[in-house]
């Protein structure tokens, strides 16, 4: 319970596109006491978390024409990916049918090898929760904690791994075997 309250008390600054000024997700972020700054300087439909270096672009399938070769959308996404090092495309739909999965696959194929990750989201509350979780995990004080914990887990796994124990045993046996002077061709 205390961990949940500690998690909920995390606050950050979010730069939100002015196109989302009346969007429910902006109201949800404001209700959670995050500092919201609206800007025309970010791509329309974007949320930028400057302290964690993550950015999210909201796309709804209704914005996408029947043809998946929507060059305007791809150019918008390309510019977004070039500007932000950790970029996420949030594809929002209440239900994911064939069209939504096709759109997601087309975007992933088009931007394969870039730093864009495509996330399907169903509702604004889940979208905000996911954005905050990713932003918090990559923000400076928290990313150090996560890195330290991962190092401890890695060390523990290596220390307790039967494979590593076997390799250590083999190494000690190899060290114990006396070697003769070996000369090639003799």
């Amino acid at each position: 319970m205390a961990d949940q309250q500690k998690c909920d008390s995390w606050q950050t600054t979010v730069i939100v596109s002015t196109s989302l000024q009346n969007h429910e997700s902006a109201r949800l972020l404001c209700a959670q006491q995050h500092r919201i700054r609206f800007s025309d300087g970010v791509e329309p439909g974007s949320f930028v978390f400057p302290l964690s270096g993550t950015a999210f672009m909201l796309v709804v399938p209704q914005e996408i024409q029947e043809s998946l070769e929507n060059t305007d959308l791809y150019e918008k996404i390309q510019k977004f990916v070039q500007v932000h090092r950790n970029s996420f495309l949030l594809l929002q739909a209440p239900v994911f049918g064939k069209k939504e999965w096709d759109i997601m696959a087309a975007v992933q194929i088009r931007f394969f090898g870039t730093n864009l990750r495509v996330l399907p989201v169903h509702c604004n509350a889940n979208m905000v929760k996911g954005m905050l979780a990713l932003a918090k995990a990559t923000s400076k004080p928290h990313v150090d904690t996560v890195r330290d914990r991962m190092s401890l887990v890695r060390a523990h796994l290596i220390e307790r791994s039967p494979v590593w124990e076997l390799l250590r045993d083999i190494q000690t046996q190899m060290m114990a075997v006396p070697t003769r002077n070996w000369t090639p061709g003799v």
Side-chain angles (χ1 to χ4, degrees), residues 2-11 32-34 136:
D3 287 339
Q4 182 65 27
Q5 289 174 346
K6 187 178 178 181
C7 179
D8 290 341
S9 68
W10 180 74
Q11 295 176 348
Q32 294 182 19
Q33 306 297 314
H34 296 286
K136 182 178 179 180

Side-chain angles (χ1 to χ4, degrees), residues 18-95:
T18 52
S19 65
L20 296 171
Q21 199 160 10
N22 296 321
H23 198 268
E24 183 186 352
S25 56
R27 288 191 292 274
L28 288 170
L29 287 167
C30 222
Q32 294 182 19
Q33 306 297 314
H34 296 286
R35 293 173 296 284
I36 308 297
R37 304 288 181 259
F38 292 101
S39 174
D40 288 326
V42 295
E43 282 294 317
S46 298
F47 300 88
V48 179
F49 291 80
L51 296 177
S52 65
T54 57
F56 301 86
M57 178 182 281
L58 177 63
V59 175
V60 292
Q62 293 80 10
E63 293 178 8
I64 301 171
Q65 300 166 355
E66 287 300 316
S67 168
L68 292 178
E69 290 303 316
N70 187 347
T71 57
D72 292 339
L73 176 65
Y74 286 144
E75 287 173 6
K76 180 179 165 182
I77 296 170
Q78 182 64 41
K79 182 178 176 188
F80 179 74
V81 169
Q82 288 173 347
V83 171
H84 303 287
R85 63 179 177 176
N86 288 325
S87 52
F88 297 87
L89 182 77
L90 303 168
L91 183 61
Q92 185 179 29
V95 177

Side-chain angles (χ1 to χ4, degrees), residues 79-169:
K79 182 178 176 188
F80 179 74
V81 169
Q82 288 173 347
V83 171
H84 303 287
R85 63 179 177 176
N86 288 325
S87 52
F88 297 87
L89 182 77
L90 303 168
L91 183 61
Q92 185 179 29
V95 177
F96 275 78
K98 182 174 176 14
K99 178 185 176 188
E100 289 79 12
W101 290 115
D102 288 345
I103 291 168
M104 195 162 95
V107 170
Q108 286 177 327
I109 290 168
R110 178 77 178 244
F111 293 97
F112 183 75
T114 67
N115 59 343
L116 179 72
R117 270 93 64 210
V118 182
L119 302 174
V121 293
H122 295 289
C123 65
N124 291 318
N126 288 343
M127 178 178 66
V128 169
K129 185 178 178 181
M131 287 191 304
L132 290 173
L134 287 166
K136 182 178 179 180
T138 56
S139 68
K140 185 61 177 157
H142 298 283
V143 75
D144 293 338
T145 304
V146 170
R147 188 177 298 120
D148 292 344
R149 287 180 182 172
M150 292 299 289
S151 294
L152 287 172
V153 167
R154 181 175 176 258
H156 181 74
L157 287 174
I158 290 172
E159 183 180 303
R160 302 277 186 222
S161 170
V163 173
W164 284 105
E165 287 179 21
L166 179 66
L167 290 173
R168 276 193 295 266
D169 290 346

